[in-house]
Amino acid sequence: MPASKQFAAVTGAGSGIGRATAVALAEAGFTVALIGRRAEPLLETKEVIGVAGGEAQVFQADVSNAASVDQAFLHIAAAFGRLDVLFNNAGRNAGAVPLEDYDTDFWNDVVATNLTGVFLCARAAYRLMKAQSPQGGRIINNGSISAHAPRPHTIAYTATKHAVTGITKSISLDGRAFNIACGQIDIGNAATSLTERMNKGVLQADGRMAPEARMDVTHVANAVVHMASLPLEANVLNMTIMASAMPFVGRG
């Protein structure tokens, strides 16, 4: 629990992991900046937080667009005065596409959201955290267990998630001088609308289609809150949270 009023930003806050985490951060005492492309789902998240007695504001932004991201964080700075935590969560699924069928525009779209978007939001938060007084803050990147092992036919998604790990480590190193900590949470099979297909079956490394276990998304949200609530002298550099029965360990 934060000792005094603190401010967090969550990208992709309109649904799924982003919404669950924004709600959990508000419940933990953070005032939350809700960031995403579409206003309506962000307003729905804000309403959920408000009903529970929390505080949140909506900031529309396309995370793949530098000007849009920078404008949103300028508005966050003006509204809150500082930023203590960024949960760099926004991303997109890419589906299973054989390498020989990959379209260049499809590749670029996945990279724009899952990699460039993470960089742009981290850069904007880093600038704010470096300039504010007291200096410092925490950036938490949403990686994936695909940052460790791929699913079949997911080269774009897997490449971006491996690259997010490089971003996390670089920020963790470069942020030391400015009291900016950076960690990564790698999530496996949280129960959201994006993973409902896993109940019917998804492609496995041996070519089979098989259903996979999922876990309640609140476990992910609570894990992010734990990372966010640590004093800046401590950092979870990398956490893997997964449905216990999913086939990640021993995949292939």
Side-chain angles (χ1 to χ4, degrees):
M1 294 285 290
S4 59
K5 177 60 71 176
Q6 289 192 307
F7 301 92
V10 177
T11 65
S15 63
I17 291 168
R19 175 176 288 181
T21 302
V23 171
L25 285 166
E27 290 175 347
F30 288 87
T31 298
V32 186
L34 308 172
I35 303 173
R37 286 186 298 111
R38 296 184 297 123
E40 184 176 354
L42 296 175
L43 290 169
E44 291 172 357
T45 302
K46 180 181 178 181
E47 183 177 2
V48 172
I49 289 172
V51 167
E55 298 179 40
Q57 292 190 37
V58 169
F59 300 87
Q60 272 188 272
D62 176 356
V63 299
S64 68
N65 182 284
S68 181
V69 168
D70 289 344
Q71 184 81 351
F73 277 83
L74 283 174
H75 289 156
I76 289 169
F80 295 165
R82 65 177 292 109
L83 183 65
D84 298 289
V85 174
L86 166 66
F87 180 39
N88 215 352
N89 166 71
R92 56 155 292 176
N93 275 339
V97 180
L99 176 57
E100 67 272 20
D101 296 329
Y102 253 79
D103 178 80
T104 303
D105 289 340
F106 179 70
W107 167 274
N108 288 337
D109 187 53
V110 175
V111 170
T113 301
N114 289 5
L115 181 55
T116 303
V118 170
F119 158 72
L120 291 174
C121 293
R123 183 180 67 175
Y126 190 96
R127 287 170 171 168
L128 179 52
M129 292 171 179
K130 181 179 176 181
Q132 65 195 11
S133 181
Q135 189 179 62
R138 187 183 307 276
I139 297 169
I140 301 169
N141 294 323
N142 184 348
S144 168
I145 59 170
S146 289
H148 305 277
R151 290 185 179 276
H153 306 314
T154 60
I155 190 169
Y157 186 84
T158 300
T160 58
K161 293 304 184 178
H162 274 67
V164 167
T165 301
I167 288 176
T168 299
K169 291 179 179 178
S170 291
I171 296 172
S172 182
L173 173 60
D174 296 341
R176 289 177 186 171
F178 311 109
N179 206 27
I180 299 171
C182 185
Q184 180 169 317
I185 183 164
D186 295 325
I187 302 162
N189 291 10
T192 69
S193 60
L194 293 178
T195 61
E196 286 180 0
R197 60 191 174 86
M198 292 180 177
N199 291 326
K200 297 180 179 179
V202 290
L203 185 62
Q204 303 296 307
D206 61 2
R208 292 181 302 116
M209 295 293 291
E212 293 189 9
R214 301 190 300 162
M215 62 180 167
D216 193 306
V217 71
T218 58
H219 301 314
V220 176
N222 291 337
V224 175
V225 170
H226 168 70
M227 296 170 73
S229 300
L230 289 171
L232 289 176
E233 68 184 35
N235 185 41
V236 176
L237 179 63
N238 187 267
M239 175 191 290
T240 299
I241 183 167
M242 53 178 271
S244 299
M246 70 176 295
F248 170 54
V249 179
R251 183 185 290 186

